[in-house]
Amino acid sequence: MPGGAAYFPAFLERDAQAAMVADLRGVVAQAPLFSPMTRYGKAMSVRMTSAGRYGWYSDRRGYRYERAHPSGSPWPPVPESVLAVWRRLVSRTRMPDCCLVNVYDGAARMGLHQDRDEADFSWPVLSISLGDEALFRIGGTARGGPTESLRLRSGDVLLLAGAARLAFHGIDRTYPGTSDLLARGGRINLTLRVVD
Ligand code: MD3
Ligand code: FE
């Protein structure tokens, strides 16, 4: 993995994962999942929503953070169960502005990309995986360079800082049926970010 990436396999116990999923049901009830349009006008296969001061949004105008859900309502607060992980690994004083919730079912995937819509890349991104396993791929800061793959499992946490913060990364596929955490199957990934 690139410098600045830290991998914490099985960081969350089963009970903590289940409590987080229950909290996320509340988030999704207030801020329903949607499939963002890429800037090319094609719907992403991953469904998303957010919690926090900002949510990530995309349409033909491009990728950005917004203060409100597409419905016009403010995003719900980030659940305490999620903030607790940030406090343990990132900061006790600065809380994340955004918890992006990515939901993968069936054939959903995410192509290689960089996360560069945030103002200050010196803040890390914290990722929490829940539910089905996924094939995660990460490379360097230039598109087209060598990549390495890692199978992310439910309860795994990744911290992307330093050089890894601007690394190209994506999800090639998930492995349906590899976890019984989510009643309807699938995978949830949370990313916690400082936006501005
Ligand atoms: C490496 N999510 O939301 S999480 C994303 O599993 C995103 O849903 C993937 O990429 C997912 O932007 C991967 C691991 C991850 C998250 C953010 C990163 C890796 C990262 C930011 C910089 C470098
Ligand atoms: Fe990303």
Side-chain angles (χ1 to χ4, degrees):
M1 294 235 278
Y7 177 44
F8 302 90
F11 188 78
L12 296 174
E13 316 233 318
R14 171 79 184 202
D15 287 357
Q17 296 173 41
M20 212 175 266
V21 170
D23 289 343
L24 293 168
R25 300 266 175 242
V27 167
V28 170
Q30 289 185 66
L33 295 167
F34 56 95
S35 298
M37 288 284 171
T38 64
R39 59 169 95 248
Y40 314 105
K42 191 171 180 287
M44 296 177 68
S45 59
V46 179
R47 292 181 300 148
M48 296 180 181
T49 192
S50 294
R53 294 172 56 229
Y54 287 103
W56 190 80
Y57 191 71
S58 167
D59 62 16
R60 261 146 287 202
R61 287 172 40 215
Y63 306 142
R64 61 191 180 274
Y65 286 95
E66 292 277 6
R67 292 286 197 158
H69 184 273
S71 67
S73 302
W75 306 100
V78 182
E80 188 53 42
S81 57
V82 176
L83 291 178
V85 179
W86 177 273
R87 275 197 206 91
R88 285 169 68 189
L89 293 178
V90 180
S91 173
R92 309 192 146 274
T93 53
R94 174 82 198 244
M95 287 300 106
D97 297 315
C98 175
C99 173
L100 175 60
V101 180
N102 294 156
V103 176
Y104 295 76
D105 31 41
R109 53 180 291 284
M110 189 178 286
L112 283 176
H113 66 278
Q114 291 174 298
D115 289 18
R116 43 187 321 151
D117 301 322
E118 303 79 21
D120 182 355
F121 303 134
S122 67
W123 282 102
V125 174
L126 180 70
S127 152
I128 302 171
S129 291
L130 297 166
D132 283 340
E133 296 174 10
L135 189 59
F136 170 68
R137 190 173 357 170
I138 187 164
T141 54
R143 188 181 282 284
T147 62
E148 60 186 295
S149 293
L150 184 68
R151 197 160 162 141
L152 292 176
R153 297 185 173 82
S154 195
D156 289 358
V157 171
L158 264 177
L159 187 59
L160 295 309
R165 177 65 180 77
L166 286 172
F168 278 87
H169 61 280
I171 295 290
D172 289 337
R173 60 165 296 181
T174 65
Y175 297 91
T178 49
S179 166
D180 61 4
L181 183 70
L182 305 174
R184 279 151 284 185
R187 171 174 188 263
I188 299 173
N189 180 264
L190 307 178
T191 46
L192 300 176
R193 303 134 185 278
V194 170
V195 171
D196 65 3

